[in-house]
Amino acid sequence: MKILGIIPARGGSKGVPRKNIKLLGGKPLIAYTAEVALKSKFIDTLILSSENEEIIEVAKSLNIEVPFKRPTNLALDASPTLPVILHALEFYKNQNIYFDAVCLLQTTSPFRTVMFLDKAVQTFIEKDTDSLFSVQQVPHEYNPHWVFEEKGDKTLQIATGEKKIITRRQDLPKAFHRDGSIYVTKTNVLLEQKSLFGNSISYIESPKEWYVNIDTLNDWEKAEKIIKNNFIT
């Protein structure tokens, strides 16, 4: 399976200014993702997608390929991820280069190991699902079977649509949320369904002690603590 690895890293971060190239533990944030992805045995080509010259130069210094500059209309605060991926695939299609799947690696979840990344891709291949993403388990108090949503008449109903609530914590099914670290999707799903997920999704659970999704300065401080506690070296 031929896999394109994409690191999306636009400029203009507001929560943490210059986030993607800000030094974390003595090296640019983007370096954590690059170093692992470049060692993966499954990623055939690793590229950066960015509109920002400063980020591009740092990426090149880390041996990340930068085959194009992302259009500015795909680098706005509200720009979704899918068009960024489709833009990269279209770039390679125009060169008659095709990939079976895309592995999206966000810099904001920097703590992975090569073993973890390769295990994720291996799981995706073995399960033969449309997609795979990394997850964290939802604490039982936030399990969707115990969450209520508001109805139009300002009353509440169980979010899952069930009439009776599951009373025992032990009877709750496991629930997960995406943690932002790894997404792998078949190319045909991206192109034909215009979806990151498709109809079948496999998953890999990330270690809790590594989890951070950097969006604010508080998240950045958490990442610094993770490094100091030697969870990632």
Side-chain angles (χ1 to χ4, degrees), residues 61-81:
S61 73
L62 297 168
N63 296 317
I64 308 172
E65 292 184 36
V66 188
F68 53 76
K69 190 173 181 179
R70 192 197 303 183
T72 54
N73 67 302
L74 296 180
L76 306 175
D77 284 345
S79 296
T81 301

Side-chain angles (χ1 to χ4, degrees), residues 6-8 27 29-37 39-40 43 46 103-118 120 134 179-183 204 206-207 209-213 226 231-233:
I6 301 178
I7 300 176
K27 58 187 179 183
L29 177 64
I30 195 173
Y32 289 87
T33 298
E35 289 169 358
V36 168
K39 294 175 183 175
S40 171
I43 294 178
L46 178 69
C103 180
L104 183 76
L105 299 166
Q106 300 185 122
T107 63
T108 46
S109 295
F111 301 135
R112 316 168 187 83
T113 63
V114 178
M115 183 180 296
F116 180 71
L117 175 56
D118 282 350
S134 54
D179 67 8
S181 180
I182 300 172
Y183 293 85
I204 185 169
S206 302
E209 64 268 25
W210 296 357
Y211 175 61
V212 64
N213 195 336
I226 290 173
F231 288 129
I232 295 291
T233 57

Side-chain angles (χ1 to χ4, degrees), residues 3-137:
I3 297 178
L4 172 65
I6 301 178
I7 300 176
R10 69 178 186 87
S13 172
K14 292 183 173 61
V16 182
R18 299 176 71 249
K19 174 171 59 183
N20 286 301
I21 54 177
K22 181 178 171 68
L23 296 185
L24 176 67
K27 58 187 179 183
L29 177 64
I30 195 173
Y32 289 87
T33 298
E35 289 169 358
V36 168
L38 286 169
K39 294 175 183 175
S40 171
K41 64 183 180 182
F42 290 107
I43 294 178
D44 296 271
T45 301
L46 178 69
I47 67 167
L48 174 87
S49 175
S50 181
E51 88 300 352
N52 184 278
E53 288 289 352
E54 193 174 12
I55 295 173
I56 289 172
E57 289 307 309
V58 172
K60 288 179 177 178
S61 73
L62 297 168
N63 296 317
I64 308 172
E65 292 184 36
V66 188
F68 53 76
K69 190 173 181 179
R70 192 197 303 183
T72 54
N73 67 302
L74 296 180
L76 306 175
D77 284 345
S79 296
T81 301
L82 181 60
V84 173
I85 297 173
L86 296 178
H87 171 259
L89 290 173
E90 182 68 20
F91 172 85
Y92 282 107
K93 178 184 176 183
N94 291 335
Q95 300 182 57
N96 290 316
I97 299 174
Y98 300 92
F99 296 90
D100 300 300
V102 171
C103 180
L104 183 76
L105 299 166
Q106 300 185 122
T107 63
T108 46
S109 295
F111 301 135
R112 316 168 187 83
T113 63
V114 178
M115 183 180 296
F116 180 71
L117 175 56
D118 282 350
K119 182 180 178 182
V121 180
Q122 183 70 52
T123 300
F124 168 73
I125 294 170
E126 291 175 353
K127 295 287 188 182
D128 193 27
T129 50
D130 287 345
S131 65
L132 171 145
F133 50 78
S134 54
V135 300
Q136 294 285 312
Q137 190 166 338

